Amino acid sequence: MSRRALEHIASEIGADVVETSDELGDASVTVRPSALHRTLEFCRDDPRLRCDLLLDVIGVDYPDRAERFDVIYSMRSLSTGERVRVKTRVADGEPVSTASDLWNSANWAEREVYDLYGVPFSDHPDLRRILTHHEFKGHALRKDYPIEKGQMCYVPEKLLTDEEIRFGPQLYGRTMDRSDAVVEEEEISSDYLTVNLGPSHPATHGALRIEALLDGETIIHSKSEIGYLHRCFEKESEDHTWQQIIPYTDRLNYVSALTNNVGYVLAVEKMMAIEVPERCQTIRVLVAELGRIMDHLVCVGTNLVDIGALTNFWYFFNAREHLYTVVERMCGERLTTSYTRIGGLYRDLYEGFEDELRHSLGKVEEAIGEVTALVQRNRIFMDRAVGIGAISQEDAINWGWTGPCLRATGVDYDVRKASPYGGYETYDFDIPVGENGDVYDRVLCRIEEMYQSIGIVNQAMDRLKPGPIFSEDRRVTMPPKDEVYNSIEGMMNHFKLVFEGIQVPAGEGYGFSEGANGELGFFIVSDGSGNPYRIKVRPPCFPIFSSFTELVKGHMVSDAIATLGGLNIIAGELDR
Amino acid sequence: MGVTLDEPQNYITTKLRQAVNWGRKYSLWPMPFGTACCAIEFMGVVSSFTDISRFGAELVRFSPRQSDLLIVAGTISYKQAPILKLVYEQMAEPKWVIAMGVCASSGGFYNNYGTVQGIDTLIPTDMYVAGCPPTPENLLHALVQLQEQIDREGIEAVKEKRRVPSSA
């Protein structure tokens, strides 16, 4: 599959292809910078490839190389299932031609590479910093930037420029509805109101900021800003061993930490070609789905709070507390679970787990039933949600959407079905899809997904058989104690794992799974040492939120709030 | 008719300080400055299982001008720092600050270029709550301790006590 894709690209681009690779089954092609745009366009438009979903743009720094930076475009085709990475190598300061004219999702992704590596993109419409603040000096993910070098920000950035505020109406094609034709300039600026939302606003559920230009209550133009929760996951991961990164993955999408834990270890295990025992696989599926349920409970609950339906939040949060009880007994923490390990799990399930979980799931189902009854045909809710924040399938794909938000538009892309991992192909579940891609469909999709997840959890519980939870692979698993004490090999193995950590073979790979918000990817570069050389997270929220300003254009402020809640933006994974 | 002061059961005597502090400590209006994981746990604290209203602090206000307890729930990045400071300055006296979780208290395990190493480098902080994130009980414990602290405070010295540290 991937080899054929590479042949297509090689025959089209010809001499500008530097090298191709299908390591770990991922098609990856390196081209000269001059041919990058042509290659990307070919990948997008060629009927045999049709890579319509740009997942991510990734930067990697090799300070010893003359062409210092790798810029990697990671794509997937929704129709052919093809995954292609196009890579180019550039020297410090050498511009890369932007792909934001091909995919909207490239806009923010390229800004991130610019911010963290200082790679300029030519013809980019809005090349500003995105994760670090505007007073930041240097580029934080370069290998020569010290991890602990913090830089204070003194003044919050102004998002809308004076020009945009002053000439907003002319710039954004809205004329004022007033009888007298002669309007003074001062009057124009006073008629359009700028409103700042966040980064400490209750409806943003995290640290986001939106500055909107309003005509009455209608948003005619807005700009959003992220990075207020940039906790440097990627820099931290270069500073830690492979196992030590697991706690950091909890705090990406902290509402569904379990799902992230599973996603990360799957990616590393893909790099190392590790098989885990059946019981471990089943438990992973089980906890990943628990994470999804917990995520959707918060998302739907808070979305409804934002549009005034507070009761539902209490119902859902009570259900969540029931799950917390189980999760806390399972791994010792309510929220930040760190339950998985590379090659296994932190520990086995406790005695009586199944009974408790069944009881809790009963409570969850009860809560979902109550909330569905309250909102599904509720006149007020439907008025607030139907047709609000709607997006077409083509636009959603172009913006790089995945997950429940994409499925609400009617595209049935779910990693669990499209490229099953961890045994998902053996479970019986459906992918709920919506029709209109509006807030209403998103809420209902998530509610239905919870039912499906409960079904998967029940199936997984039925399959649980006693057995080992750790892989036999001695590259990742500690040897049994009697081997450590009685044989030199066992002792050395133990010593090496403790002092040097897991050694992932050199190479690069992209591991992906279905997170609560969509495709959660980990692009991993290893140099064979005990620390990752580079880990790039593909957070599902990031492309989704980048489209927010387009989504709310022409809507009212209160609709923007409803839309934002339905997108389920989790700042932890948005900013990392 | 009405209440007369002739009968001893009709009045109590107390110190002004105690009367004021009694009112203050049982009617804290929190403003959650929620940025990260701790904010999700804060949702748990206000919802029905652990119910913060048992301690008189359920009236969550999202406007700093209406609240007297700032609960900083989550990691504060350098990008967020000026906003936290602004929000704190917008609050009217008397005001108190709880740093919820290790990120707000000390930066936690985020010792890196993006994270403020404890909010007390920016604003005065009264209580530090351990945990990543703290359990709801942990936060309630901090709240009760803060109430005890308020009880001991003078009512006139409030302004003097709060000085923004010189490093910020």
Side-chain angles (χ1 to χ4, degrees):
Chain A
M1 190 74 172
S2 58
R3 190 171 291 273
R4 218 175 318 138
L6 291 175
E7 281 163 14
H8 294 323
I9 298 173
S11 64
E12 170 72 19
I13 306 304
D16 281 329
V17 172
V18 181
E19 65 180 39
T20 60
S21 130
D22 59 351
E23 193 185 336
L24 299 168
D26 300 354
S28 170
V29 54
T30 310
V31 298
R32 287 183 216 291
S34 55
L36 177 71
H37 194 271
R38 193 153 57 91
T39 315
L40 293 175
E41 199 168 1
F42 173 73
C43 291
R44 188 190 66 164
D45 295 335
D46 186 77
R48 293 162 301 183
L49 295 172
R50 241 182 301 157
C51 292
D52 38 11
L53 189 69
L54 177 73
L55 292 167
D56 210 350
V57 183
I58 303 156
V60 188
D61 181 17
Y62 298 94
D64 300 334
R65 239 172 41 187
E67 294 155 321
R68 183 172 170 176
F69 301 106
D70 271 3
V71 179
I72 305 166
Y73 288 75
S74 164
M75 291 167 282
R76 188 190 188 280
S77 164
L78 287 178
S79 43
T80 65
E82 199 72 69
R83 280 178 191 272
V84 180
R85 284 202 304 269
V86 177
K87 193 196 285 190
T88 190
R89 296 183 179 142
V90 286
D92 196 358
E94 186 186 342
V96 177
S97 56
T98 180
S100 52
D101 53 333
L102 302 175
W103 295 277
N104 286 325
S105 55
N107 188 326
W108 276 26
E110 285 174 349
R111 273 177 69 188
E112 190 188 316
V113 176
Y114 164 73
D115 180 7
L116 299 178
Y117 286 98
V119 177
F121 288 86
S122 53
D123 302 324
H124 191 283
D126 185 26
L127 200 62
R128 290 180 295 131
R129 284 184 182 273
I130 183 163
L131 292 179
T132 57
H133 54 78
H134 62 126
E135 295 172 26
F136 198 86
K137 302 266 187 308
H139 301 284
L141 270 185
R142 289 187 175 197
K143 290 284 179 189
D144 48 17
Y145 190 91
I147 179 169
E148 286 169 20
K149 190 183 166 196
Q151 299 187 24
M152 186 56 85
C153 173
Y154 292 97
V155 189
E157 193 183 3
K158 226 171 152 238
L159 294 184
L160 292 175
T161 58
D162 287 346
E163 196 191 27
E164 282 173 309
I165 294 169
R166 223 172 160 72
F167 303 109
Q170 289 94 318
L171 283 173
Y172 303 105
R174 245 184 116 82
T175 49
M176 278 194 293
D177 178 27
R178 35 162 69 216
S179 45
D180 49 334
V182 187
V183 185
E184 295 292 322
E185 231 177 52
E186 283 73 36
E187 274 186 87
I188 294 179
S189 51
S190 65
D191 267 7
Y192 291 86
L193 183 72
T194 47
V195 164
N196 179 63
L197 211 85
S200 165
H201 188 277
T204 59
H205 306 299
L208 325 162
R209 184 167 160 225
I210 299 138
E211 209 170 275
L213 191 64
L214 305 184
D215 174 12
E217 253 195 275
T218 310
I219 298 173
I220 55 171
H221 176 59
S222 62
K223 264 189 181 173
S224 50
E225 173 76 0
I226 65 169
Y228 292 98
L229 193 56
H230 181 49
R231 300 192 276 198
C232 326
F233 172 87
E234 286 156 12
K235 193 81 175 173
E236 287 282 1
S237 63
E238 290 168 17
D239 204 44
H240 286 73
T241 65
W242 296 90
Q243 293 279 36
Q244 283 174 339
I245 295 164
I246 294 170
Y248 287 96
T249 63
D250 293 339
R251 290 150 183 86
L252 288 174
N253 183 341
Y254 36 74
V255 190
S256 57
L258 286 165
T259 319
N260 294 348
N261 295 159
V262 174
Y264 170 70
V265 295
L266 283 174
V268 179
E269 285 166 10
K270 180 181 174 187
M271 295 280 294
M272 302 183 74
I274 288 173
E275 290 285 323
V276 292
E278 195 190 332
R279 182 174 172 85
C280 174
Q281 263 195 1
T282 316
I283 296 178
R284 281 184 183 174
V285 167
L286 192 155
V287 296
E289 294 307 314
L290 273 187
R292 194 179 319 280
I293 298 168
M294 291 167 83
D295 175 277
H296 290 359
L297 285 174
V298 170
C299 168
V300 175
T302 49
N303 191 5
L304 291 169
V305 172
D306 293 344
I307 45 188
L310 185 64
T311 328
N312 306 290
F313 176 72
W314 302 134
Y315 288 168
F316 270 174
F317 224 90
N318 274 356
R320 205 177 138 98
E321 288 281 351
H322 282 288
L323 290 179
Y324 272 154
T325 320
V326 177
V327 171
E328 195 175 8
R329 281 195 73 180
M330 184 176 82
C331 60
E333 253 291 358
R334 288 154 54 89
L335 203 66
T336 43
T337 48
S338 306
Y339 185 55
T340 58
R341 294 289 181 274
I342 295 161
L345 298 165
Y346 160 45
R347 64 181 183 203
D348 209 335
L349 301 172
Y350 61 90
E351 212 173 298
F353 170 82
E354 290 173 47
D355 293 337
E356 278 196 25
L357 186 56
R358 277 185 217 280
H359 170 76
S360 302
L361 287 179
K363 296 283 181 190
V364 173
E365 271 183 297
E366 207 177 293
I368 302 173
E370 277 171 335
V371 169
T372 316
L374 276 173
V375 302
Q376 192 167 16
R377 304 300 305 162
N378 184 315
R379 176 75 193 276
I380 306 172
F381 175 63
M382 291 184 75
D383 280 353
R384 291 293 309 273
V386 175
I388 301 300
I391 189 166
S392 68
Q393 294 186 3
E394 295 73 37
D395 284 347
I397 293 168
N398 197 276
W399 279 105
W401 287 31
T402 49
C405 292
L406 176 66
R407 292 194 283 274
T409 65
V411 181
D412 64 344
Y413 173 58
D414 187 317
V415 182
R416 292 174 294 170
K417 284 274 190 207
S419 21
Y421 54 92
Y424 267 111
E425 64 277 11
T426 60
Y427 291 85
D428 176 30
F429 65 103
D430 293 325
I431 303 296
V433 291
E435 277 176 2
N436 308 318
D438 54 9
V439 176
Y440 186 75
D441 283 7
R442 279 172 215 145
V443 167
L444 291 198
C445 263
R446 284 206 170 87
I447 287 179
E448 186 50 41
E449 255 180 41
M450 281 195 271
Y451 281 122
Q452 296 298 333
S453 292
I454 292 173
I456 298 176
V457 171
N458 281 325
Q459 290 173 46
M461 272 197 286
D462 293 339
R463 289 182 194 188
L464 278 179
K465 287 189 199 70
I469 54 161
F470 262 100
S471 154
E472 288 290 306
D473 199 319
R474 288 279 171 266
R475 289 178 299 163
V476 293
T477 310
M478 296 271 189
K481 280 288 172 201
D482 61 319
E483 253 179 63
V484 178
Y485 293 139
N486 297 319
S487 75
I488 185 72
E489 291 80 14
M491 199 186 79
M492 277 315 290
N493 190 343
H494 185 273
F495 178 86
K496 285 252 184 207
L497 276 177
V498 171
F499 278 82
E500 291 174 3
I502 292 171
Q503 316 272 316
V504 175
E508 54 183 59
Y510 179 72
F512 50 94
S513 58
E514 182 72 19
N517 275 330
E519 178 170 327
L520 174 72
F522 290 89
F523 176 76
I524 296 173
V525 181
S526 173
D527 57 357
S529 72
N531 291 9
Y533 189 78
R534 167 87 166 112
I535 292 187
K536 170 76 173 74
V537 186
R538 193 264 169 196
C541 292
F542 186 82
I544 293 180
F545 189 60
S546 69
S547 64
F548 180 74
T549 50
E550 285 301 311
L551 220 53
V552 299
K553 206 172 194 174
H555 282 303
M556 298 220 179
V557 181
S558 52
D559 296 336
I561 300 298
T563 310
L564 187 60
L567 296 180
N568 193 21
I569 307 299
I570 307 288
E573 77 175 7
L574 179 73
D575 300 339
R576 285 150 285 145
Chain B
M1 287 302 286
V3 179
T4 63
L5 293 182
D6 303 343
E7 302 293 323
Q9 66 267 31
N10 281 351
Y11 60 91
I12 52 166
T13 57
T14 180
K15 291 177 187 153
L16 176 65
R17 185 180 66 85
Q18 276 175 348
V20 170
N21 282 344
W22 175 80
R24 281 179 180 172
K25 72 176 183 179
Y26 289 128
S27 63
L28 287 166
W29 287 18
M31 143 118 199
F33 194 89
T35 58
C37 339
C38 285
I40 306 293
E41 207 60 339
F42 183 80
M43 286 183 194
V45 181
V46 294
S47 64
S48 13
F49 260 58
T50 40
D51 197 4
I52 199 171
S53 70
R54 294 178 293 159
F55 303 91
E58 81 276 29
L59 206 60
V60 175
R61 300 278 95 183
F62 288 99
S63 164
R65 297 176 204 280
Q66 296 171 350
S67 40
D68 47 11
L69 171 61
L70 183 66
I71 298 180
V72 181
T75 316
I76 301 300
S77 64
Y78 285 112
K79 199 169 185 172
Q80 186 82 278
I83 293 134
L84 175 65
K85 206 152 178 261
L86 184 72
V87 165
Y88 176 78
E89 280 159 7
Q90 283 174 342
M91 289 170 69
E93 296 279 356
K95 54 188 171 185
W96 297 273
V97 177
I98 292 180
M100 180 181 180
V102 287
C103 287
S105 302
S106 70
F109 75 169
Y110 291 103
N111 185 6
N112 53 36
Y113 64 87
T115 312
V116 174
Q117 301 298 303
I119 56 162
D120 51 8
T121 58
L122 303 166
I123 57 175
T125 310
D126 295 284
M127 287 289 153
Y128 301 86
V129 192
C132 186
T135 58
E137 295 83 354
N138 233 338
L139 182 68
L140 294 176
H141 184 211
L143 185 72
V144 173
Q145 283 201 319
L146 182 67
Q147 289 175 336
E148 286 168 10
Q149 179 196 313
I150 293 171
D151 206 31
R152 292 192 301 269
E153 279 176 1
I155 52 173
E156 66 294 306
V158 166
K159 277 261 191 267
E160 254 172 59
K161 190 193 69 165
R162 339 222 114 237
R163 270 203 309 268
V164 176
S166 52
S167 65

